Amino acid sequence: MRIRFNKFFLGVFMPVLFLTTSCKDTDARLVDIEKVKVPYVESAADFPNPERGFYRYSETYASRFTQLNADELKGYRNTQTVEGAGYQVTSTLVFRYYILDNATGGPIAPAFLTNMEKDMVAARTAGVKLIPRFVYTVTQKSGDCPEGFICPPYGDAAKAVVLAHIAQLKPVLQANADVIACVQLGFIGTWGEQYYSDFFGDASGNGKQENRLSNQNWLDRAEVLRAMLDAVPADRTVQVRYPQIKQRFLYGVTAPISSAALTDAEGFTNADRARIGYHNDCFLASTNDLGTYEDYGNSTSPRTSSGSVINALRGYMSDDSKYVAVGGETCSDDYSPANDCEPAGKAQQEFATMHYSYLNAHYNNNVNNDWQTGGCMDNIKRNLGYRFVLLNGVYPDQVVRGTSMTIVINLKNAGYASPFNKRTAKLLLRNKQNNEVFSFDLASDVRKWFSGNHQIQESIKVPADLAPGDYELLLNLPDVYESLATRAEYSIRLANEDVWEEATGYNKLNHTVKVN
């Protein structure tokens, strides 16, 4: 489609614009230039994309460290069958349990830190990213206590030990931010899920304490979270197990469950509130996800999980999770059919409501396998995290050097969430004669390409000294870190036919501009 307008506009500098609207009024909003409308075909393929999807599980013990293998990690990027699963996945994320089993009473051994560094190198070599969680025990001990299947002592460490360990880990975390997708809080309690703890309050009631957390318990937990936010690179999220941990960290030990969630203005900054995300390790396991949406009380108020509490905390996490990293795993199939595919269940709806970017591929397969037999697994695999689909684009047919060129890209995010880590969208001009590439940063924040339709309209200044000729238009969504920026494995692939260049990590816009 070609539309001709007066050419006065081409000589006028056009400031950078960013619009996010529905796509139906695209043509009415376009600037007055000669332009060509390019359609795109959506792809139904499942393919790996960075920082999203089903993760692969791994663990190692400080007492007997087993390093990650780069070749094995690289294989995860290809379609593989998961043990005990009736489905196959491609993965760019690897969850890593670091179990500090021999360090509950003293410092972490230097050899452990060296081996951690080697894990990071393996991930970087393989083209994947890690989700680390540091814990002291992943073993439940049965006994004579109210719950029976798990009883104290649980085996975690005192606050002073935890804080000292975080200080030791900080240099490794800071040096390897590029291959860390996000970090889970860990440390406190069995499995590092901030629940069954010998030192930070035992809300289960298995011990001598009432089944609620005291003011001091909340303060101690906040001190650990504060230390982790300091140790983890400033552009990375620290995930907590349940939303009240974030509320009580931000607003104090008496913070109500009605505390305010993130707003659009606050999201995607380096402020504490914007860096605390969630890992729900009991996705759709019960009405409150086995304690995820629960008020754990304080020194003057009781623990409660009434319907109003569940609704309030679910609402808080739904609003807040739009701007932070969210993931986890399933843990029980007892909440069937609610955790099944639609229409009997609400699995896909819940993923979208809570903005899930990733999930454990290995556990609990009693739940996950139901999605395969129920017919929604393919959708879940494609839609965890972001999934960007080009709808159409409107581009100039030709442009004069030294003037501004305006483009309009209409796309939809078919995924449950937007990217949670920063990356800069880049428009590329590639000379068709010599393949020289010129890159222009776009103003649009990819993290704000939320689920739904978007229109990106921007103008770039074509350099006056750019050689005349024909140039291909491409869109590049690379990793923000220089160490990964040229690695195709770390660039976002668009879900369209005939646009992805596997060798470069570029997305072709299938249009040529003549530069005069």
Side-chain angles (χ1 to χ4, degrees), residues 177-363:
D178 59 338
V179 289
I180 295 173
C182 54
V183 180
Q184 297 182 354
L185 177 59
F187 292 108
I188 299 170
T190 308
W191 306 295
E193 291 192 29
Q194 294 103 61
Y195 193 75
Y196 297 107
S197 174
D198 298 326
F199 297 95
F200 292 86
D202 183 8
S204 71
N206 279 337
K208 297 178 181 179
Q209 177 181 314
E210 298 179 69
N211 72 336
R212 61 179 174 180
L213 298 179
S214 70
N215 289 5
Q216 189 59 51
N217 294 154
W218 285 114
L219 291 171
D220 290 341
R221 289 161 181 253
E223 196 171 346
V224 173
L225 179 51
R226 172 72 272 154
M228 280 295 282
L229 287 167
D230 178 65
V232 171
D235 58 357
R236 290 296 181 262
T237 298
V238 176
Q239 294 179 306
V240 297
R241 176 61 184 85
Y242 34 91
Q244 193 174 45
I245 295 176
K246 180 170 182 176
Q247 290 181 331
R248 295 261 158 112
F249 175 81
L250 294 175
Y251 301 110
V253 299
T254 60
I257 57 175
S258 59
S259 297
L262 282 163
T263 64
D264 192 63
E266 296 167 329
F268 306 123
T269 67
N270 287 346
D272 289 345
R273 63 190 304 111
R275 293 182 58 214
I276 302 173
Y278 308 96
H279 66 98
N280 179 357
D281 289 355
C282 275
F283 175 80
L284 282 181
S286 70
T287 55
N288 72 350
D289 285 3
L290 294 185
T292 300
Y293 308 114
E294 189 152 347
D295 181 350
Y296 286 92
N298 54 42
S299 294
T300 57
S301 66
R303 172 179 174 174
T304 179
S305 58
S306 66
S308 60
V309 168
I310 294 170
N311 290 337
L313 288 171
R314 278 181 52 81
Y316 172 83
M317 183 167 161
S318 177
D319 292 341
D320 204 68
S321 60
K322 184 178 180 180
Y323 307 99
V324 294
V326 180
E329 64 185 15
T330 55
C331 76
S332 172
D333 202 21
D334 292 342
Y335 198 45
S336 180
N339 58 19
D340 294 337
C341 297
E342 286 78 355
K346 56 180 181 180
Q348 296 175 88
Q349 174 190 331
E350 187 74 357
F351 281 130
T353 298
M354 299 301 177
H355 306 97
Y356 271 72
S357 285
Y358 68 80
L359 202 73
N360 189 351
H362 300 257
Y363 188 80

Side-chain angles (χ1 to χ4, degrees), residues 1 23 25 38 41 105 110 113 126 134 136 169 182 241 247-248 260 263 290 370 380 391 410 430 440 451 465:
M1 164 176 123
C23 297
D25 296 326
V38 179
V41 177
L113 301 175
F134 303 94
Y136 296 102
L169 294 165
C182 54
R241 176 61 184 85
Q247 290 181 331
R248 295 261 158 112
T263 64
L290 294 185
D370 287 346
I380 292 170
L391 301 175
N410 295 307
R430 184 166 62 191
F440 304 87
S451 303
D465 59 354

Side-chain angles (χ1 to χ4, degrees), residues 499-516:
V499 301
W500 177 245
E501 287 190 350
E502 188 170 359
T504 63
Y506 302 158
N507 295 280
K508 295 180 292 185
L509 295 178
N510 296 331
H511 181 70
T512 298
V513 174
K514 180 176 288 293
V515 175
N516 299 313

